[in-house]
Amino acid sequence: MELPITETPNELTSNIDIADPTGIVRLFRQTDSQIFNGYSIYPGLNDTEILNRIEVAVDRIVPVVKAKRKKAIVISGAGTSGRLAMFISRTFNRILKQSGHPPIFNYLIAGGDKALIQAQEGAEDDPNQAVTDLTSIISDAELVAYFGVTCGFSAPYIAGQLNYTANRKNIFSVLLGFNPTEAARNVPIENWDKTFLDVVHSIHRKKNCLILNPIIGPEPITGSTRMKSGSATKIILELIFTLAFEKSGILDKIPYSKTQIPTVKSKIQSLLQQYEITRTETYRELDAISALVHRAGYTLRNKGHIYYLGLAPYAILGIIDASECPPTFGAEFDDVRGFIDHGWYGLLETGNDLSAVGPQYRIGIEEFITHKLPKLTRHDTVLYLGETKIPNRFVTLLKKSQAHNAYTGAIIINGTDKQIAGVDTLVTPRLSCSSLTADGHQAFSEFAMKLILNAITTGGHILAGKIYQNRMIDLKISNNKLYYRTMNIISDIMKVSKRNAMECMLKAIYGTNRLTESQKTAPISAHINAATGKEKIVPTAMLLATGRFSVAEATAALKKEPIVRNIIKTYIENN
């Protein structure tokens, strides 16, 4: 069976692991263009088929927005999708409040609000808990719009909720992802009687359901859906809700272009063009972005830390970017951290403060000042995220960081300064697109910031040896999706069968050269639990797949040379 497109290696980036920082950013620029230009023979974001579906979604949301009855719009996802669900819900609730309307947006993330900061092991694999989470927030709503986001059509959390909503006439459901429907995951889900593909087949026949799946091409780093898929998720949901608000009369005017645009479809096309222009203008900062990628690689190779500081909404994107590094690259939690003014209130604008849960949930600027700033070294990097100007108090923090020998940078969207005291590298993309709404929603600036942050941390981890060709090889196996992704990576790179790949993976997980019968027959959840906290599972399994290494020998080789591509190259040359 062919791999789903979201799990397929991108032919453009097969040698990204041996590119220099500038080459890495250029490759991101090329692959990001596929969001708008499409991929292969499939319908893309600008194709009529997809534009029609977006228009249907807009039309179906308008009655929910305008209804006088109890209503709710729910955006749900796991990992990146759940974090973006929070971000977008926050944005559109703010617009509603500013317009004198009560907030109606709700978000769900598998694992709850703790998962906004730190991945919760296995949370996305429970379709039953997913339904409990959903019903707890829509139980008294008479009219509901539900958006289930799963980039690869794979998360059981979303499958459970879709299966529930599809059978309720008062709920309009949208499945948003970036694979063809036939590529939906068709493997058993523990403690459930359906696969994701079963759910897709079921909702295809429902009038109250819509599948929205433009094909935007493989990720630059295989399976890292935080990148292109996350960007496309943000764009599509912003388009739908913005146009629904305009049609409902909540927003008076949306700046499209200088010409009069009469139809919803042409408005969608005009706004998509503005996002594409933003992508182009962002990557004009190639040299400055590359400099930060180079610095991130140095920091991560030398066990330093990258710290993001700033105000909402940009600091929220920093927190999201940081939270995605451990599950994606096998990074330590403190390798990349985000801190925001006003802490949890700055993040959510509610009273749900999780600071007491543990130090990893202390996300306010004061946490950085008190516990991180005094310990900075020359290996650390501190970056300010914002727009137009840096507030004086953040300039002071950057100067203090420099005084501790840390490297400093600032990403200032539409900044006017060419040099700022206390800043070693300044990235200032100048965007020609105005705000997305008349209320000042800075969607295009946010998009630019997301592209830059993804480039910095992804490029940094590439330079730190976390990638083989364009495959993540140090990911943490924390859920069902990553379990199968790991198996596929080993099988594809090492050219061994799926069965052989699974056996090597299990040997690496359990640290044994011979699996017991109970280990072989244990449920996937048991393997995921056993993998928790284990390092170098994929590199170890890859060496085992050569047939020339024991577990102990593979572990020793990786301690001596952490970049597995170099070990395999040496092995081939010597044999």
Side-chain angles (χ1 to χ4, degrees):
M1 183 181 71
E2 291 187 4
L3 288 171
I5 289 172
T6 56
E7 301 285 335
T8 300
N10 194 310
E11 59 269 25
L12 295 174
T13 59
S14 58
N15 287 317
I16 198 169
D17 61 330
I18 54 177
D20 65 13
T22 301
I24 289 171
V25 179
R26 284 175 178 151
L27 288 169
F28 292 156
R29 180 178 62 189
Q30 290 179 56
T31 53
D32 280 335
S33 72
Q34 294 172 329
I35 296 173
F36 305 95
N37 299 331
Y39 175 75
S40 187
I41 62 172
Y42 300 99
L45 198 48
N46 275 293
D47 282 272
T48 301
E49 176 183 342
I50 300 301
L51 294 173
N52 287 342
R53 292 189 210 171
I54 294 175
E55 185 173 4
V56 169
V58 171
D59 289 340
R60 294 295 297 269
I61 293 302
V62 170
V64 180
V65 174
K66 295 175 74 172
K68 301 301 183 184
R69 296 178 287 166
K70 290 184 178 179
K71 58 197 176 183
I73 297 176
V74 181
I75 312 172
S76 181
T80 296
S81 300
R83 295 176 190 112
L84 289 172
M86 174 275 293
F87 188 82
I88 293 164
S89 295
R90 180 188 186 279
T91 294
F92 284 91
N93 277 335
R94 281 175 65 89
I95 293 173
L96 285 168
K97 288 185 223 178
Q98 290 167 4
S99 305
H101 296 82
I104 60 173
F105 283 82
N106 303 267
Y107 68 88
L108 288 171
I109 179 170
D113 279 354
K114 288 198 294 185
L116 294 171
I117 306 300
Q118 189 172 38
Q120 301 300 297
E121 308 298 340
E124 73 171 61
D125 294 336
D126 191 341
N128 301 303
Q129 181 61 47
V131 174
T132 300
D133 293 346
L134 178 61
T135 54
S136 70
I137 61 174
I138 65 169
S139 58
D140 63 345
E142 299 174 57
L143 199 57
V144 176
Y146 167 84
F147 289 78
V149 186
T150 168
C151 300
F153 287 176
S154 59
Y157 190 81
I158 300 303
Q161 291 172 349
L162 281 169
N163 186 62
Y164 174 83
T165 60
N167 296 312
R168 282 154 180 81
K169 293 182 180 179
N170 68 319
I171 303 178
F172 170 60
S173 297
V174 178
L175 168 59
L176 175 58
F178 306 101
N179 275 327
T181 53
E182 64 270 18
R185 181 156 290 158
N186 191 28
V187 298
I189 296 173
E190 285 187 40
N191 303 314
W192 213 46
D193 61 349
K194 295 177 178 62
T195 68
F196 204 108
L197 184 61
D198 292 334
V199 174
V200 169
H201 286 160
S202 173
I203 67 174
H204 252 311
R205 300 187 292 271
K206 304 283 186 179
K207 291 183 179 179
N208 65 324
C209 298
L210 175 70
I211 298 176
L212 191 47
N213 62 327
I215 306 305
I216 58 174
E219 298 289 348
I221 303 303
T222 308
S224 182
T225 51
R226 78 193 194 109
M227 300 189 76
K228 289 164 59 178
S229 297
S231 296
T233 295
K234 184 177 184 297
I235 291 168
I236 292 168
L237 293 179
E238 286 171 349
L239 286 175
I240 292 171
F241 299 136
T242 299
L243 291 171
F245 276 21
E246 183 193 47
K247 243 184 152 178
S248 303
I250 291 172
L251 294 173
D252 295 329
K253 180 183 178 183
I254 298 172
Y256 302 109
S257 68
K258 293 181 180 179
T259 58
Q260 185 67 29
I261 304 173
T263 67
V264 171
K265 191 179 299 178
S266 56
K267 290 176 181 180
I268 295 168
Q269 290 173 310
S270 177
L271 292 175
L272 283 173
Q273 185 179 33
Q274 292 185 56
Y275 279 104
E276 167 66 346
I277 290 169
T278 299
R279 181 199 69 85
T280 300
E281 292 171 338
T282 300
Y283 281 112
R284 284 179 185 157
E285 290 287 296
L286 174 69
D287 291 343
I289 297 171
S290 300
L292 289 184
V293 168
H294 180 270
R295 175 63 195 187
Y298 169 85
T299 293
L300 295 170
R301 280 196 310 272
N302 288 281
K303 308 300 181 185
H305 309 87
I306 298 171
Y307 295 124
Y308 296 136
L309 312 177
L311 311 172
Y314 304 104
I316 299 176
L317 293 172
I319 288 172
I320 291 173
D321 185 81
S323 68
E324 292 159 349
C325 292
T328 302
F329 300 109
E332 295 301 321
F333 179 80
D334 276 324
D335 287 355
V336 186
R337 291 287 306 273
F339 298 94
I340 184 171
D341 211 26
H342 303 302
W344 279 89
Y345 185 80
L347 180 68
L348 300 178
E349 296 189 318
T350 69
N352 190 24
D353 189 335
L354 299 184
S355 298
V357 174
Q360 65 270 44
Y361 293 98
R362 294 169 195 156
I363 59 174
I365 295 296
E366 289 302 318
E367 174 71 10
F368 171 78
I369 293 171
T370 304
H371 297 286
K372 305 301 181 185
L373 181 61
K375 298 178 183 178
L376 291 177
T377 73
R378 63 187 179 88
H379 298 310
D380 296 321
T381 298
V382 181
L383 302 176
Y384 170 79
L385 315 179
E387 62 178 325
T388 313
K389 291 282 186 181
I390 306 182
N392 288 335
R393 57 200 175 91
F394 284 98
V395 173
T396 300
L397 281 180
L398 294 175
K399 288 179 178 178
K400 288 182 177 180
S401 298
Q402 281 186 334
H404 284 82
N405 297 314
Y407 184 94
T408 63
I411 305 163
I412 307 175
I413 310 300
N414 291 324
T416 55
D417 295 316
K418 299 198 183 286
Q419 192 171 0
I420 299 173
V423 176
D424 293 313
T425 296
L426 183 62
V427 183
T428 55
R430 300 286 297 166
L431 307 182
S432 59
C433 297
S434 57
S435 62
L436 182 57
T437 72
D439 291 47
H441 174 203
Q442 300 295 327
F444 303 117
S445 297
E446 293 168 2
F447 179 48
M449 182 65 76
K450 182 183 182 300
L451 294 178
I452 294 167
L453 296 182
N454 286 169
I456 291 169
T457 49
T458 302
H461 281 101
I462 291 170
L463 295 173
K466 296 284 190 175
I467 304 297
Y468 183 96
Q469 296 172 347
N470 54 8
R471 297 298 196 96
M472 299 176 288
I473 56 166
D474 213 5
L475 67 171
K476 293 186 185 296
I477 305 174
S478 58
N479 56 49
N480 188 286
K481 174 184 72 177
L482 293 177
Y483 176 88
Y484 282 101
R485 178 182 293 170
T486 300
M487 181 182 70
N488 289 332
I489 288 172
I490 297 163
S491 174
D492 190 57
I493 291 178
M494 302 310 297
K495 308 302 179 189
V496 297
S497 68
K498 293 287 188 356
R499 182 175 180 178
N500 192 346
M502 181 181 293
E503 185 174 316
C504 293
M505 178 175 67
L506 294 179
K507 287 179 178 178
I509 288 173
Y510 291 105
T512 181
N513 294 316
R514 183 170 302 214
L515 295 168
T516 65
E517 194 60 31
S518 62
Q519 288 169 336
K520 291 178 183 178
T521 58
I524 291 174
S525 57
H527 301 323
I528 293 170
N529 289 335
T532 301
K534 299 283 180 67
E535 296 183 352
K536 301 288 185 184
I537 290 173
V538 182
T540 301
M542 288 170 64
L543 295 182
L544 294 178
T546 67
R548 300 298 181 92
F549 290 84
S550 66
V551 172
E553 290 167 342
T555 301
L558 288 165
K559 283 184 179 178
K560 186 176 179 181
E561 168 55 78
I563 300 178
V564 70
R565 189 170 186 179
N566 290 341
I567 300 174
I568 293 175
K569 181 182 177 183
T570 301
Y571 162 77
I572 291 172
E573 289 176 349
N574 293 339
N575 291 273

